[in-house]
């Protein structure tokens, strides 16, 4: 470190005020914004990239993992299922025949309810859904600070930077769906960082007259390849190093493709963000663990299966979404409060949609009912509202 510089003090204009401000426009953030806006709230969605969908679209992780338990039973519906359908609306891919109307349980046991989509098609469809719901989008906008002044145990505004300079966005309730618990961290919540991310970088080539998806990732478990290492997703040097390493693998893949498959092949689409699995999350009043499979919770707001294996079903407690120090802050998606063993389950697209819908609905109810503390919301009313929206709750 080469010393310090001192920035001059400055007044930051509050450019807009909303009922709910959602930080992060990935699957969880989009679901949260949709849920809150559909309940008539003024909602802002702040996204550092230039389209919604996060890892699913910008990151090219184009597999919508299962909405079922692997035993023929659907465990995710609501926005989790609506977004799966949206991912196919403008592009290729199809719902497995077993999961179309009339499919039998026996057929569904042999085919999980998952699809492969095209990221660009999903991004365009998802943006249309957000705009139709009345969500205000703020693209190319980075959250850089939190203002907690004059606000009793909560957040007053998010300080952001974009082409208009530095400004603030105020709201009554905030949802951290950044995937990296950025707002939780900035607001002083207890967070957990995972520095064991593997090298990964999915990309598309044009080869043999078609687009081909290359899912380049080091093994998720076991020994690290000798030419690789682990990465901390909230360390700036590691972020760059992981991207550079991923790009090197893409070049190697293209050399092989041109030498052995199609001499005219070329890279077509590269990811616009690092493909980290787990980086930083909230440590809340309760942490869901992998051993909680099949456990029932009185504050469950949805369910998820385990994308890695058939059988286990997890109820997702509302307590995993509520911040501790900031009464008007909820988490959704990759950064909810779970243990490391459950993190790999709840980070997936379907469960992110479930927690996003729950967080957005809860935020809207807080504003509508004048509830100032997320933990004081009427759980029974929240669960009934989610059930009315098509969410599946309870095993």
């Amino acid at each position: 470190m080469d010393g310090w510089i001192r920035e001059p003090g400055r007044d930051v204009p509050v450019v807009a005020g909303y009922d709910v401000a959602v930080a992060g426009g990935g699957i969880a953030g989009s679901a949260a914004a949709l849920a809150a806006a559909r309940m008539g709230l003024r909602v802002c969605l702040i996204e550092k990239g230039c389209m919604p969908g996060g890892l699913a679209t910008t990151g090219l992780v184009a597999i919508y993992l299962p909405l079922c338990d692997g035993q023929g039973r659907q465990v995710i519906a609501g926005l989790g299922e609506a977004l799966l359908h949206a991912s196919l609306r403008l592009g290729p891919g199809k719902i497995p025949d077993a999961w179309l109307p009339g499919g039998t349980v026996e057929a569904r046991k042999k085919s999980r309810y998952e699809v492969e989509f095209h990221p660009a098609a999903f991004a365009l469809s998802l943006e249309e859904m957000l705009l139709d719901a009345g969500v205000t989008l703020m693209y190319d906008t980075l959250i850089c600070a939190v203002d907690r002044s004059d606000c009793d145990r909560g957040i007053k505004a998010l300080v952001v930077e974009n082409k208009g300079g530095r400004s603030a966005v105020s709201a009554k309730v905030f949802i951290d769906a950044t995937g990296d618990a950025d707002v939780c961290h900035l607001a002083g919540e207890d967070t957990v960082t995972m520095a064991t991310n593997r090298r990964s970088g999915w990309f598309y080539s044009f080869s043999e007259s078609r687009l081909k998806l290359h899912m380049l990732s080091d093994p998720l478990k076991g020994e690290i390849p000798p030419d690789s290492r682990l990465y901390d997703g909230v360390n700036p040097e590691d972020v760059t190093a992981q991207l550079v390493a991923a790009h090197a693998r893409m070049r190697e893949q293209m050399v092989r493709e041109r030498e052995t498959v199609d001499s005219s092949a070329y890279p077509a689409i590269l990811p616009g963000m690092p493909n980290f699995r787990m980086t930083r999350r909230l440590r809340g009043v309760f942490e869901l663990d992998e051993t909680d499979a099949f456990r029932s919770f009185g504050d469950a707001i949805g369910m998820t299966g385990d994308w890695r294996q058939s059988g286990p079903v997890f109820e997702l407690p509302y307590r995993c979404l509520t911040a501790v120090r900031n009464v008007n802050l909820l988490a959704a998606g990759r950064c909810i409060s779970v243990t490391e063993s459950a993190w790999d389950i709840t980070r997936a697209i379907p469960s992110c949609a479930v927690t996003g819908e729950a967080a957005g609905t809860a935020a809207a109810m807080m504003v509508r009912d004048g509830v100032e503390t997320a933990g004081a919301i009427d759980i029974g009313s929240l669960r009934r509202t989610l059930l009315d929206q098509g969410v599946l709750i309870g095993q």
Side-chain angles (χ1 to χ4, degrees):
M1 182 182 296
D2 296 326
W4 300 84
I5 65 169
R6 182 178 297 278
E7 288 190 318
R10 55 181 166 178
D11 294 327
V12 176
V14 179
V15 295
Y18 297 89
D19 294 316
V20 179
V22 182
I27 298 302
S30 295
L34 284 168
R38 288 176 176 180
M39 290 183 67
L41 276 288
R42 295 175 296 117
V43 180
C44 175
L45 181 60
I46 305 168
E47 166 55 38
K48 66 180 180 181
C50 298
M51 59 183 174
L55 279 168
T57 56
T58 305
L60 308 185
V61 182
I63 308 294
Y64 206 115
L65 290 169
L67 306 186
C68 65
D69 65 354
Q71 298 294 316
R73 176 191 173 205
Q74 184 174 346
V75 295
I76 294 176
L79 280 175
E81 187 172 26
L83 294 181
L84 179 144
H85 284 272
S87 75
L88 304 177
R89 189 170 67 83
L90 299 177
K94 64 184 294 291
I95 294 172
D97 291 339
W99 291 95
L100 295 173
T104 66
V105 172
E106 289 306 311
R108 291 176 176 181
K109 287 181 179 180
K110 301 174 183 177
S111 174
R112 298 200 73 170
Y113 191 179
E114 64 182 7
V115 301
E116 180 175 336
F117 57 86
H118 192 278
F122 191 12
L124 292 176
S125 181
L126 183 54
E127 181 182 77
E128 184 178 39
M129 291 177 70
L130 290 162
L131 294 173
D132 286 348
V135 176
T136 298
L137 300 175
M138 293 182 67
Y139 288 142
D140 194 25
T141 298
L142 184 67
I143 296 167
C144 49
V146 166
D147 178 21
R148 300 181 77 247
S149 62
D150 303 321
C151 190
D152 184 24
R153 298 185 298 126
I155 299 173
K156 179 180 179 181
L158 300 178
V159 180
V160 302
E161 290 226 17
N162 52 29
K163 291 299 181 183
R166 196 173 182 95
S167 60
V169 176
S170 65
K172 298 173 183 175
V173 184
F174 298 84
I175 299 173
D176 186 344
T178 60
D180 304 319
D182 289 336
V183 176
C184 291
H185 173 69
L186 292 169
E189 294 292 335
D190 188 11
T191 58
V192 179
T193 300
M194 183 172 179
T196 55
N197 285 277
R198 306 264 175 142
R199 177 179 56 180
S200 180
W202 295 22
F203 80 105
Y204 285 88
S205 70
F206 192 81
S207 179
E208 300 180 288
S209 301
R210 64 185 179 90
L211 280 175
K212 295 173 67 173
L213 176 61
H214 302 274
M215 297 177 282
L216 302 182
S217 297
D218 286 348
L220 298 183
K221 296 183 179 180
E223 292 188 8
I224 305 166
D227 63 338
S228 190
R229 68 176 180 88
L230 300 178
Y231 301 90
D232 182 343
V234 295
N235 178 294
E237 289 80 12
D238 273 17
V239 172
T240 298
Q242 196 267 6
L243 287 166
V244 169
H247 295 161
R249 287 205 68 195
M250 295 173 197
R251 285 191 291 269
E252 294 167 2
Q253 177 68 27
M254 288 313 307
V255 169
R256 286 193 295 271
E257 190 85 2
R258 291 171 67 88
E259 290 178 348
T260 62
V261 178
D262 181 354
S263 61
S264 64
Y266 59 87
I269 313 172
L270 303 184
M273 64 184 294
N275 288 170
F276 289 123
R277 292 163 60 231
M278 293 101 83
T279 57
R280 182 170 55 205
R281 61 169 172 80
L282 169 71
R283 176 179 279 147
V285 295
F286 176 78
E287 295 177 300
L288 186 74
D289 186 74
E290 191 171 7
T291 60
D292 290 320
F294 306 113
R295 180 180 173 186
S296 294
F297 295 98
D299 64 340
I301 44 75
M303 299 185 291
T304 186
D306 188 337
W307 62 272
R308 306 165 304 180
Q309 60 181 319
S310 65
V313 176
F314 297 84
E315 292 190 5
L316 301 170
Y318 177 66
R319 286 166 290 168
C320 293
L321 280 57
T322 56
V324 177
R325 185 182 179 193
N326 298 271
V327 298
N328 62 343
L329 174 62
L330 292 157
R334 287 195 312 176
C335 51
I336 65 171
S337 179
V338 294
T339 65
E340 185 173 330
S341 70
W343 206 348
D344 197 34
I345 300 166
T346 58
R347 71 176 176 86
I349 288 175
S351 52
C352 285
V354 173
T355 57
E357 181 170 9
T361 303
M365 291 177 61
M366 286 176 64
V367 175
R368 183 195 67 189
D369 300 338
V371 178
E372 297 182 356
T373 302
I377 197 169
D378 185 328
I379 293 297
S381 180
L382 173 60
R383 284 161 56 95
R384 287 190 295 273
T385 301
L386 290 169
L387 288 168
D388 288 344
Q389 293 169 182
V391 175
L392 300 176
I393 301 176
Q395 303 186 53

